Amino acid sequence: MKLFKPNSAIVQVSEMTEIHSVYLLKSVNYCKTYIGATTDFNNRLRQHNGEICGGAKKTVRWRPWEPVCVVSGFINNSQKLRFEYRLQKSGRKPAGECPVMWDLKNMAKLLSDYDRKGQQHWPVLMIEWYKPFVFK
């Protein structure tokens, strides 16, 4: 059993068998993005692209998908799902705004968010970036 101290609260972790992640996907052929949460990103991406069974029904129409980034390091499923929900519900995209840029701006706001006590809502998170995109 390992102990570590995120945000000054000691948390016990038996084994980090699951990596809780939130990801941002971009449709290759359409001006669409998708935000999701998973413990196995590579498998989940294959599901979204129809290579294996499963995946969100919402993503079928806009296939294929490519990853923009994966945010990982959430302590538990609840924290991961709270981050995903807040990112998905961060407001309507203004007309003409690139959806990837809109989602990234909202992610930056969310990552820098503090509670009333002046503490960050999230532990130290890692962002894995995929191929660079050209934004129009």
Side-chain angles (χ1 to χ4, degrees):
M1 185 171 298
K2 298 176 185 173
L3 294 177
F4 64 97
K5 193 176 176 183
N7 289 345
S8 67
I10 296 180
V11 178
Q12 294 182 348
V13 179
S14 56
E15 286 297 322
M16 293 289 284
T17 55
E18 294 182 331
I19 298 174
H20 297 283
S21 304
V22 173
Y23 56 89
L24 173 61
L25 301 178
K26 176 193 174 298
S27 173
V28 173
N29 300 322
Y30 301 94
C31 190
K32 296 286 182 182
T33 59
Y34 180 81
I35 297 164
T38 187
T39 54
D40 184 352
F41 175 69
N42 292 327
N43 187 61
R44 192 72 176 127
L45 180 60
R46 291 181 65 214
Q47 287 177 326
H48 284 302
N49 284 325
E51 296 172 23
I52 57 176
C53 292
K57 289 180 183 176
K58 186 178 175 182
T59 62
V60 171
R61 184 175 176 190
W62 313 110
R63 287 177 180 161
W65 295 92
E66 60 186 4
V68 175
C69 66
V70 177
V71 181
S72 57
F74 298 98
I75 296 168
N76 55 37
N77 191 52
S78 174
Q79 194 176 62
K80 166 187 75 176
L81 294 177
R82 185 166 49 107
F83 187 88
E84 176 199 25
Y85 177 82
R86 289 185 60 192
L87 191 54
Q88 288 175 339
K89 306 299 180 199
S90 56
R92 284 188 85 136
K93 177 183 79 64
E97 175 95 29
C98 171
V100 175
M101 285 302 294
W102 175 253
D103 289 334
L104 290 175
K105 285 178 191 176
N106 288 321
M107 186 182 297
K109 280 188 224 171
L110 190 55
L111 287 169
S112 62
D113 198 12
Y114 289 86
D115 64 13
R116 292 179 190 166
K117 296 178 185 176
Q119 295 180 342
Q120 279 193 304
H121 286 286
W122 319 109
V124 176
L125 299 172
M126 183 182 85
I127 303 176
E128 182 178 353
W129 297 97
Y130 288 80
K131 74 178 202 174
F133 291 95
V134 176
F135 301 106
K136 297 178 182 177

